[in-house]
PDB file of all heavy atoms in Angstrom:
ATOM      1  N   ILE Z   1       4.005  -8.148   2.958  1.00  0.00           N
ATOM      2  CA  ILE Z   1       4.259  -6.708   3.011  1.00  0.00           C
ATOM      3  C   ILE Z   1       2.981  -6.001   3.448  1.00  0.00           C
ATOM      4  O   ILE Z   1       1.965  -6.051   2.736  1.00  0.00           O
ATOM      5  CB  ILE Z   1       4.726  -6.204   1.635  1.00  0.00           C
ATOM      6  CG1 ILE Z   1       5.993  -6.961   1.198  1.00  0.00           C
ATOM      7  CG2 ILE Z   1       4.971  -4.708   1.676  1.00  0.00           C
ATOM      8  CD1 ILE Z   1       6.375  -6.743  -0.262  1.00  0.00           C
ATOM      9  N   ILE Z   2       3.025  -5.352   4.603  1.00  0.00           N
ATOM     10  CA  ILE Z   2       1.837  -4.693   5.163  1.00  0.00           C
ATOM     11  C   ILE Z   2       2.111  -3.202   5.249  1.00  0.00           C
ATOM     12  O   ILE Z   2       2.967  -2.765   6.028  1.00  0.00           O
ATOM     13  CB  ILE Z   2       1.485  -5.264   6.543  1.00  0.00           C
ATOM     14  CG1 ILE Z   2       1.336  -6.791   6.458  1.00  0.00           C
ATOM     15  CG2 ILE Z   2       0.200  -4.655   7.076  1.00  0.00           C
ATOM     16  CD1 ILE Z   2       2.160  -7.543   7.425  1.00  0.00           C
ATOM     17  N   MET Z   3       1.392  -2.419   4.435  1.00  0.00           N
ATOM     18  CA  MET Z   3       1.640  -0.979   4.336  1.00  0.00           C
ATOM     19  C   MET Z   3       0.439  -0.178   4.835  1.00  0.00           C
ATOM     20  O   MET Z   3      -0.705  -0.501   4.510  1.00  0.00           O
ATOM     21  CB  MET Z   3       1.926  -0.598   2.886  1.00  0.00           C
ATOM     22  CG  MET Z   3       3.192  -1.214   2.316  1.00  0.00           C
ATOM     23  SD  MET Z   3       4.683  -0.497   3.039  1.00  0.00           S
ATOM     24  CE  MET Z   3       5.320  -1.918   3.939  1.00  0.00           C
ATOM     25  N   GLY Z   4       0.722   0.868   5.604  1.00  0.00           N
ATOM     26  CA  GLY Z   4      -0.334   1.721   6.117  1.00  0.00           C
ATOM     27  C   GLY Z   4      -0.287   3.111   5.487  1.00  0.00           C
ATOM     28  O   GLY Z   4       0.774   3.750   5.446  1.00  0.00           O
ATOM     29  N   TYR Z   5      -1.432   3.568   4.974  1.00  0.00           N
ATOM     30  CA  TYR Z   5      -1.531   4.871   4.323  1.00  0.00           C
ATOM     31  C   TYR Z   5      -2.684   5.677   4.925  1.00  0.00           C
ATOM     32  O   TYR Z   5      -3.569   5.123   5.577  1.00  0.00           O
ATOM     33  CB  TYR Z   5      -1.782   4.712   2.822  1.00  0.00           C
ATOM     34  CG  TYR Z   5      -0.710   3.987   2.063  1.00  0.00           C
ATOM     35  CD1 TYR Z   5      -0.771   2.605   1.877  1.00  0.00           C
ATOM     36  CD2 TYR Z   5       0.363   4.666   1.508  1.00  0.00           C
ATOM     37  CE1 TYR Z   5       0.213   1.925   1.157  1.00  0.00           C
ATOM     38  CE2 TYR Z   5       1.354   3.994   0.789  1.00  0.00           C
ATOM     39  CZ  TYR Z   5       1.262   2.628   0.614  1.00  0.00           C
ATOM     40  OH  TYR Z   5       2.237   1.960  -0.091  1.00  0.00           O
ATOM     41  N   ARG Z   6      -2.694   6.979   4.640  1.00  0.00           N
ATOM     42  CA  ARG Z   6      -3.804   7.828   5.083  1.00  0.00           C
ATOM     43  C   ARG Z   6      -5.054   7.578   4.253  1.00  0.00           C
ATOM     44  O   ARG Z   6      -6.164   7.516   4.780  1.00  0.00           O
ATOM     45  CB  ARG Z   6      -3.418   9.309   4.940  1.00  0.00           C
ATOM     46  CG  ARG Z   6      -2.337   9.783   5.891  1.00  0.00           C
ATOM     47  CD  ARG Z   6      -2.010  11.233   5.593  1.00  0.00           C
ATOM     48  NE  ARG Z   6      -0.962  11.736   6.475  1.00  0.00           N
ATOM     49  CZ  ARG Z   6      -0.376  12.917   6.337  1.00  0.00           C
ATOM     50  NH1 ARG Z   6      -0.731  13.721   5.349  1.00  0.00           N
ATOM     51  NH2 ARG Z   6       0.568  13.297   7.172  1.00  0.00           N
ATOM     52  N   ASN Z   7      -4.851   7.443   2.923  1.00  0.00           N
ATOM     53  CA  ASN Z   7      -5.984   7.360   2.005  1.00  0.00           C
ATOM     54  C   ASN Z   7      -5.597   6.541   0.775  1.00  0.00           C
ATOM     55  O   ASN Z   7      -4.652   5.753   0.825  1.00  0.00           O
ATOM     56  CB  ASN Z   7      -6.434   8.774   1.609  1.00  0.00           C
ATOM     57  CG  ASN Z   7      -5.271   9.640   1.120  1.00  0.00           C
ATOM     58  OD1 ASN Z   7      -4.398   9.168   0.391  1.00  0.00           O
ATOM     59  ND2 ASN Z   7      -5.244  10.896   1.534  1.00  0.00           N
ATOM     60  N   ALA Z   8      -6.323   6.746  -0.317  1.00  0.00           N
ATOM     61  CA  ALA Z   8      -6.126   5.923  -1.517  1.00  0.00           C
ATOM     62  C   ALA Z   8      -4.835   6.221  -2.265  1.00  0.00           C
ATOM     63  O   ALA Z   8      -4.515   5.519  -3.224  1.00  0.00           O
ATOM     64  CB  ALA Z   8      -7.321   6.104  -2.457  1.00  0.00           C
ATOM     65  N   GLU Z   9      -4.070   7.219  -1.856  1.00  0.00           N
ATOM     66  CA  GLU Z   9      -2.784   7.490  -2.505  1.00  0.00           C
ATOM     67  C   GLU Z   9      -1.727   6.524  -1.962  1.00  0.00           C
ATOM     68  O   GLU Z   9      -0.891   6.881  -1.143  1.00  0.00           O
ATOM     69  CB  GLU Z   9      -2.365   8.945  -2.281  1.00  0.00           C
ATOM     70  CG  GLU Z   9      -3.180   9.927  -3.105  1.00  0.00           C
ATOM     71  CD  GLU Z   9      -2.521  11.300  -3.156  1.00  0.00           C
ATOM     72  OE1 GLU Z   9      -2.173  11.822  -2.083  1.00  0.00           O
ATOM     73  OE2 GLU Z   9      -2.358  11.845  -4.255  1.00  0.00           O
ATOM     74  N   THR Z  10      -1.808   5.291  -2.439  1.00  0.00           N
ATOM     75  CA  THR Z  10      -0.936   4.218  -1.938  1.00  0.00           C
ATOM     76  C   THR Z  10       0.357   4.175  -2.761  1.00  0.00           C
ATOM     77  O   THR Z  10       0.587   3.247  -3.544  1.00  0.00           O
ATOM     78  CB  THR Z  10      -1.673   2.868  -1.997  1.00  0.00           C
ATOM     79  OG1 THR Z  10      -2.177   2.676  -3.325  1.00  0.00           O
ATOM     80  CG2 THR Z  10      -2.837   2.850  -1.015  1.00  0.00           C
ATOM     81  N   PHE Z  11       1.182   5.210  -2.574  1.00  0.00           N
ATOM     82  CA  PHE Z  11       2.428   5.319  -3.342  1.00  0.00           C
ATOM     83  C   PHE Z  11       3.340   4.112  -3.117  1.00  0.00           C
ATOM     84  O   PHE Z  11       3.404   3.557  -2.027  1.00  0.00           O
ATOM     85  CB  PHE Z  11       3.152   6.631  -3.006  1.00  0.00           C
ATOM     86  CG  PHE Z  11       3.461   6.829  -1.554  1.00  0.00           C
ATOM     87  CD1 PHE Z  11       4.686   6.448  -1.022  1.00  0.00           C
ATOM     88  CD2 PHE Z  11       2.528   7.414  -0.702  1.00  0.00           C
ATOM     89  CE1 PHE Z  11       4.991   6.629   0.316  1.00  0.00           C
ATOM     90  CE2 PHE Z  11       2.824   7.605   0.655  1.00  0.00           C
ATOM     91  CZ  PHE Z  11       4.053   7.212   1.156  1.00  0.00           C
ATOM     92  N   LEU Z  12       4.004   3.710  -4.177  1.00  0.00           N
ATOM     93  CA  LEU Z  12       4.941   2.574  -4.233  1.00  0.00           C
ATOM     94  C   LEU Z  12       4.252   1.209  -4.208  1.00  0.00           C
ATOM     95  O   LEU Z  12       4.918   0.172  -4.215  1.00  0.00           O
ATOM     96  CB  LEU Z  12       5.980   2.627  -3.092  1.00  0.00           C
ATOM     97  CG  LEU Z  12       6.865   3.880  -3.045  1.00  0.00           C
ATOM     98  CD1 LEU Z  12       7.817   3.795  -1.864  1.00  0.00           C
ATOM     99  CD2 LEU Z  12       7.659   4.048  -4.341  1.00  0.00           C
ATOM    100  N   ARG Z  13       2.924   1.196  -4.206  1.00  0.00           N
ATOM    101  CA  ARG Z  13       2.210  -0.081  -4.122  1.00  0.00           C
ATOM    102  C   ARG Z  13       2.585  -1.020  -5.270  1.00  0.00           C
ATOM    103  O   ARG Z  13       2.792  -2.219  -5.055  1.00  0.00           O
ATOM    104  CB  ARG Z  13       0.701   0.167  -4.111  1.00  0.00           C
ATOM    105  CG  ARG Z  13      -0.121  -1.118  -4.024  1.00  0.00           C
ATOM    106  CD  ARG Z  13      -1.606  -0.834  -3.966  1.00  0.00           C
ATOM    107  NE  ARG Z  13      -2.384  -2.058  -3.863  1.00  0.00           N
ATOM    108  CZ  ARG Z  13      -3.710  -2.085  -3.716  1.00  0.00           C
ATOM    109  NH1 ARG Z  13      -4.386  -0.954  -3.645  1.00  0.00           N
ATOM    110  NH2 ARG Z  13      -4.351  -3.240  -3.635  1.00  0.00           N
ATOM    111  N   ASP Z  14       2.652  -0.500  -6.497  1.00  0.00           N
ATOM    112  CA  ASP Z  14       2.981  -1.352  -7.651  1.00  0.00           C
ATOM    113  C   ASP Z  14       4.333  -2.025  -7.470  1.00  0.00           C
ATOM    114  O   ASP Z  14       4.499  -3.217  -7.769  1.00  0.00           O
ATOM    115  CB  ASP Z  14       2.984  -0.535  -8.940  1.00  0.00           C
ATOM    116  CG  ASP Z  14       1.584  -0.085  -9.347  1.00  0.00           C
ATOM    117  OD1 ASP Z  14       0.607  -0.620  -8.790  1.00  0.00           O
ATOM    118  OD2 ASP Z  14       1.477   0.805 -10.206  1.00  0.00           O
ATOM    119  N   GLU Z  15       5.319  -1.264  -6.977  1.00  0.00           N
ATOM    120  CA  GLU Z  15       6.654  -1.822  -6.760  1.00  0.00           C
ATOM    121  C   GLU Z  15       6.635  -2.907  -5.685  1.00  0.00           C
ATOM    122  O   GLU Z  15       7.290  -3.943  -5.816  1.00  0.00           O
ATOM    123  CB  GLU Z  15       7.640  -0.727  -6.376  1.00  0.00           C
ATOM    124  CG  GLU Z  15       7.980   0.239  -7.509  1.00  0.00           C
ATOM    125  CD  GLU Z  15       7.141   1.506  -7.459  1.00  0.00           C
ATOM    126  OE1 GLU Z  15       5.935   1.431  -7.139  1.00  0.00           O
ATOM    127  OE2 GLU Z  15       7.701   2.580  -7.745  1.00  0.00           O
ATOM    128  N   PHE Z  16       5.850  -2.690  -4.631  1.00  0.00           N
ATOM    129  CA  PHE Z  16       5.770  -3.698  -3.576  1.00  0.00           C
ATOM    130  C   PHE Z  16       5.121  -4.978  -4.084  1.00  0.00           C
ATOM    131  O   PHE Z  16       5.541  -6.090  -3.718  1.00  0.00           O
ATOM    132  CB  PHE Z  16       4.989  -3.158  -2.372  1.00  0.00           C
ATOM    133  CG  PHE Z  16       5.797  -2.287  -1.458  1.00  0.00           C
ATOM    134  CD1 PHE Z  16       5.494  -0.952  -1.287  1.00  0.00           C
ATOM    135  CD2 PHE Z  16       6.875  -2.811  -0.754  1.00  0.00           C
ATOM    136  CE1 PHE Z  16       6.242  -0.142  -0.445  1.00  0.00           C
ATOM    137  CE2 PHE Z  16       7.637  -2.016   0.089  1.00  0.00           C
ATOM    138  CZ  PHE Z  16       7.317  -0.679   0.238  1.00  0.00           C
ATOM    139  N   GLU Z  17       4.105  -4.854  -4.937  1.00  0.00           N
ATOM    140  CA  GLU Z  17       3.395  -6.032  -5.420  1.00  0.00           C
ATOM    141  C   GLU Z  17       4.276  -6.925  -6.292  1.00  0.00           C
ATOM    142  O   GLU Z  17       3.960  -8.093  -6.494  1.00  0.00           O
ATOM    143  CB  GLU Z  17       2.126  -5.602  -6.170  1.00  0.00           C
ATOM    144  CG  GLU Z  17       1.055  -5.070  -5.221  1.00  0.00           C
ATOM    145  CD  GLU Z  17      -0.196  -4.582  -5.927  1.00  0.00           C
ATOM    146  OE1 GLU Z  17      -0.123  -4.287  -7.141  1.00  0.00           O
ATOM    147  OE2 GLU Z  17      -1.239  -4.492  -5.253  1.00  0.00           O
ATOM    148  N   GLN Z  18       5.383  -6.375  -6.784  1.00  0.00           N
ATOM    149  CA  GLN Z  18       6.334  -7.182  -7.550  1.00  0.00           C
ATOM    150  C   GLN Z  18       7.292  -7.950  -6.639  1.00  0.00           C
ATOM    151  O   GLN Z  18       8.088  -8.758  -7.116  1.00  0.00           O
ATOM    152  CB  GLN Z  18       7.146  -6.272  -8.472  1.00  0.00           C
ATOM    153  CG  GLN Z  18       6.327  -5.555  -9.531  1.00  0.00           C
ATOM    154  CD  GLN Z  18       7.128  -4.496 -10.272  1.00  0.00           C
ATOM    155  OE1 GLN Z  18       8.354  -4.571 -10.350  1.00  0.00           O
ATOM    156  NE2 GLN Z  18       6.450  -3.501 -10.802  1.00  0.00           N
ATOM    157  N   ASN Z  19       7.200  -7.698  -5.329  1.00  0.00           N
ATOM    158  CA  ASN Z  19       8.201  -8.266  -4.411  1.00  0.00           C
ATOM    159  C   ASN Z  19       7.622  -8.999  -3.204  1.00  0.00           C
ATOM    160  O   ASN Z  19       8.344  -9.262  -2.249  1.00  0.00           O
ATOM    161  CB  ASN Z  19       9.120  -7.140  -3.918  1.00  0.00           C
ATOM    162  CG  ASN Z  19      10.024  -6.603  -5.000  1.00  0.00           C
ATOM    163  OD1 ASN Z  19      11.017  -7.217  -5.361  1.00  0.00           O
ATOM    164  ND2 ASN Z  19       9.675  -5.445  -5.564  1.00  0.00           N
ATOM    165  N   GLY Z  20       6.340  -9.343  -3.244  1.00  0.00           N
ATOM    166  CA  GLY Z  20       5.767 -10.093  -2.135  1.00  0.00           C
ATOM    167  C   GLY Z  20       4.255  -9.978  -2.092  1.00  0.00           C
ATOM    168  O   GLY Z  20       3.623  -9.376  -2.972  1.00  0.00           O
ATOM    169  N   GLU Z  21       3.646 -10.588  -1.062  1.00  0.00           N
ATOM    170  CA  GLU Z  21       2.201 -10.491  -0.848  1.00  0.00           C
ATOM    171  C   GLU Z  21       1.918  -9.155  -0.156  1.00  0.00           C
ATOM    172  O   GLU Z  21       2.439  -8.901   0.932  1.00  0.00           O
ATOM    173  CB  GLU Z  21       1.708 -11.635   0.045  1.00  0.00           C
ATOM    174  CG  GLU Z  21       1.918 -13.020  -0.515  1.00  0.00           C
ATOM    175  CD  GLU Z  21       1.486 -14.097   0.477  1.00  0.00           C
ATOM    176  OE1 GLU Z  21       0.898 -13.750   1.525  1.00  0.00           O
ATOM    177  OE2 GLU Z  21       1.750 -15.274   0.206  1.00  0.00           O
ATOM    178  N   VAL Z  22       1.094  -8.316  -0.751  1.00  0.00           N
ATOM    179  CA  VAL Z  22       0.863  -6.971  -0.226  1.00  0.00           C
ATOM    180  C   VAL Z  22      -0.514  -6.858   0.421  1.00  0.00           C
ATOM    181  O   VAL Z  22      -1.525  -7.281  -0.151  1.00  0.00           O
ATOM    182  CB  VAL Z  22       1.002  -5.915  -1.332  1.00  0.00           C
ATOM    183  CG1 VAL Z  22       0.649  -4.526  -0.808  1.00  0.00           C
ATOM    184  CG2 VAL Z  22       2.427  -5.924  -1.888  1.00  0.00           C
ATOM    185  N   TYR Z  23      -0.529  -6.293   1.623  1.00  0.00           N
ATOM    186  CA  TYR Z  23      -1.757  -5.999   2.354  1.00  0.00           C
ATOM    187  C   TYR Z  23      -1.736  -4.519   2.710  1.00  0.00           C
ATOM    188  O   TYR Z  23      -0.721  -4.012   3.201  1.00  0.00           O
ATOM    189  CB  TYR Z  23      -1.866  -6.848   3.619  1.00  0.00           C
ATOM    190  CG  TYR Z  23      -1.828  -8.336   3.343  1.00  0.00           C
ATOM    191  CD1 TYR Z  23      -0.605  -9.022   3.246  1.00  0.00           C
ATOM    192  CD2 TYR Z  23      -3.000  -9.065   3.155  1.00  0.00           C
ATOM    193  CE1 TYR Z  23      -0.563 -10.380   2.971  1.00  0.00           C
ATOM    194  CE2 TYR Z  23      -2.958 -10.429   2.876  1.00  0.00           C
ATOM    195  CZ  TYR Z  23      -1.735 -11.079   2.790  1.00  0.00           C
ATOM    196  OH  TYR Z  23      -1.701 -12.424   2.514  1.00  0.00           O
ATOM    197  N   ILE Z  24      -2.850  -3.843   2.452  1.00  0.00           N
ATOM    198  CA  ILE Z  24      -2.921  -2.396   2.650  1.00  0.00           C
ATOM    199  C   ILE Z  24      -3.922  -2.056   3.748  1.00  0.00           C
ATOM    200  O   ILE Z  24      -4.995  -2.654   3.829  1.00  0.00           O
ATOM    201  CB  ILE Z  24      -3.372  -1.688   1.349  1.00  0.00           C
ATOM    202  CG1 ILE Z  24      -2.413  -2.017   0.202  1.00  0.00           C
ATOM    203  CG2 ILE Z  24      -3.499  -0.180   1.554  1.00  0.00           C
ATOM    204  CD1 ILE Z  24      -1.055  -1.399   0.304  1.00  0.00           C
ATOM    205  N   SER Z  25      -3.563  -1.071   4.568  1.00  0.00           N
ATOM    206  CA  SER Z  25      -4.531  -0.475   5.483  1.00  0.00           C
ATOM    207  C   SER Z  25      -4.564   1.021   5.201  1.00  0.00           C
ATOM    208  O   SER Z  25      -3.542   1.613   4.850  1.00  0.00           O
ATOM    209  CB  SER Z  25      -4.157  -0.727   6.953  1.00  0.00           C
ATOM    210  OG  SER Z  25      -3.009   0.016   7.318  1.00  0.00           O
ATOM    211  N   THR Z  26      -5.746   1.614   5.320  1.00  0.00           N
ATOM    212  CA  THR Z  26      -5.882   3.060   5.148  1.00  0.00           C
ATOM    213  C   THR Z  26      -6.720   3.622   6.286  1.00  0.00           C
ATOM    214  O   THR Z  26      -7.672   2.972   6.742  1.00  0.00           O
ATOM    215  CB  THR Z  26      -6.543   3.422   3.799  1.00  0.00           C
ATOM    216  OG1 THR Z  26      -7.747   2.658   3.616  1.00  0.00           O
ATOM    217  CG2 THR Z  26      -5.608   3.153   2.641  1.00  0.00           C
ATOM    218  N   GLU Z  27      -6.358   4.817   6.710  1.00  0.00           N
ATOM    219  CA  GLU Z  27      -7.081   5.441   7.820  1.00  0.00           C
ATOM    220  C   GLU Z  27      -8.541   5.681   7.479  1.00  0.00           C
ATOM    221  O   GLU Z  27      -9.414   5.557   8.343  1.00  0.00           O
ATOM    222  CB  GLU Z  27      -6.401   6.766   8.202  1.00  0.00           C
ATOM    223  CG  GLU Z  27      -5.025   6.586   8.814  1.00  0.00           C
ATOM    224  CD  GLU Z  27      -4.351   7.910   9.109  1.00  0.00           C
ATOM    225  OE1 GLU Z  27      -5.033   8.962   9.090  1.00  0.00           O
ATOM    226  OE2 GLU Z  27      -3.132   7.914   9.368  1.00  0.00           O
ATOM    227  N   ASP Z  28      -8.817   6.022   6.216  1.00  0.00           N
ATOM    228  CA  ASP Z  28     -10.197   6.322   5.828  1.00  0.00           C
ATOM    229  C   ASP Z  28     -10.933   5.128   5.221  1.00  0.00           C
ATOM    230  O   ASP Z  28     -12.098   5.238   4.825  1.00  0.00           O
ATOM    231  CB  ASP Z  28     -10.240   7.513   4.853  1.00  0.00           C
ATOM    232  CG  ASP Z  28      -9.519   7.228   3.532  1.00  0.00           C
ATOM    233  OD1 ASP Z  28      -9.037   6.087   3.335  1.00  0.00           O
ATOM    234  OD2 ASP Z  28      -9.439   8.149   2.705  1.00  0.00           O
ATOM    235  N   GLY Z  29     -10.267   3.978   5.133  1.00  0.00           N
ATOM    236  CA  GLY Z  29     -10.913   2.780   4.613  1.00  0.00           C
ATOM    237  C   GLY Z  29     -11.090   2.759   3.109  1.00  0.00           C
ATOM    238  O   GLY Z  29     -11.789   1.889   2.575  1.00  0.00           O
ATOM    239  N   SER Z  30     -10.446   3.667   2.393  1.00  0.00           N
ATOM    240  CA  SER Z  30     -10.626   3.757   0.939  1.00  0.00           C
ATOM    241  C   SER Z  30      -9.964   2.599   0.195  1.00  0.00           C
ATOM    242  O   SER Z  30     -10.379   2.246  -0.913  1.00  0.00           O
ATOM    243  CB  SER Z  30     -10.078   5.089   0.418  1.00  0.00           C
ATOM    244  OG  SER Z  30      -8.723   5.267   0.802  1.00  0.00           O
TER     245      SER Z  30
END
């Protein structure tokens, strides 16, 4: 699961982590 966000407000991240391997990208690198 690869999710892209603007910043550290990574909404729904907890739910995704219960359902697969999660990788996050953020525009500001936070």
Side-chain angles (χ1 to χ4, degrees):
I1 302 168
I2 306 127
M3 296 289 113
Y5 299 91
R6 292 177 181 172
N7 51 41
E9 287 195 309
T10 53
F11 56 94
L12 301 179
R13 180 178 181 176
D14 290 346
E15 290 96 321
F16 279 116
E17 288 178 340
Q18 297 171 25
N19 290 283
E21 298 176 8
V22 175
Y23 302 86
I24 302 290
S25 70
T26 50
E27 292 177 14
D28 63 3
S30 55

